[in-house]
Amino acid sequence: MRIKTALTIAGSDSGGGAGIQADLKSFAAFGVYGTSAITAITAQNTRGVQGVTPLTGDFVAEQIESCLSDIGADAIKIGMLHDADIIGEVAKLLATLPEARDVPIILDPVMVATSGARLLEEEAIATMRDRLFPMATILTPNMPELEILSG
């Protein structure tokens, strides 16, 4: 029996309660081998987000290609992408990589942390809506994100 795999594309939460850390814990709890592409590094804890440093879109793409070309993915979960550059690179790869074809995509359009901190640049919302929403099998916005998306 082959072990199922899932790729998470998201930010790193130093507090461990969200992002890459939470996704990998969830995958493991269900017996799924998790791989990751980190989009941003955050300084955060249970009290809030103290800082966010995004990686470049090119480096995020390099991580995704590295995981998919070797390990593959039975599902792809997308979380915090932070900016239009990263969104564009992720969308381009998922549309063109043969390893991403016919793989279900779960998109959590992370825009606002529970503490209220913005995690997606305002000008990136339209890019996400136009480029990634059509690729998603499932969208999972929370209420504040749904309010932003619906106006």
Side-chain angles (χ1 to χ4, degrees), residues 27-141:
F27 296 167
F30 286 95
V32 174
Y33 182 83
T35 60
S36 62
I38 297 173
T39 60
I41 299 169
T42 68
Q44 67 185 91
N45 54 32
T46 61
R47 295 183 188 134
V49 178
Q50 292 78 45
V52 178
T53 299
L55 298 178
T56 65
D58 288 343
F59 191 68
V60 172
E62 193 173 345
Q63 294 174 78
I64 294 168
E65 286 181 281
S66 181
C67 291
L68 291 179
S69 68
D70 177 33
I71 301 162
D74 294 302
I76 297 171
K77 194 270 186 180
I78 302 172
M80 177 189 167
L81 296 174
H82 190 268
D83 60 43
D85 175 47
I86 294 170
I87 293 168
E89 288 296 325
V90 169
K92 180 172 68 177
L93 272 178
L94 295 181
T96 59
L97 282 178
E99 299 88 353
R101 204 168 288 129
D102 300 322
V103 174
I105 296 172
I106 298 89
L107 175 58
D108 181 1
V110 176
M111 299 176 182
V112 182
T114 304
S115 64
R118 292 291 301 221
L119 298 173
L120 179 67
E121 292 178 348
E122 185 75 30
E123 59 274 7
I125 295 170
T127 306
M128 179 181 284
R129 190 180 302 128
D130 296 344
R131 304 274 314 269
L132 286 177
F133 280 22
M135 302 172 122
T137 307
I138 299 171
L139 293 173
T140 63

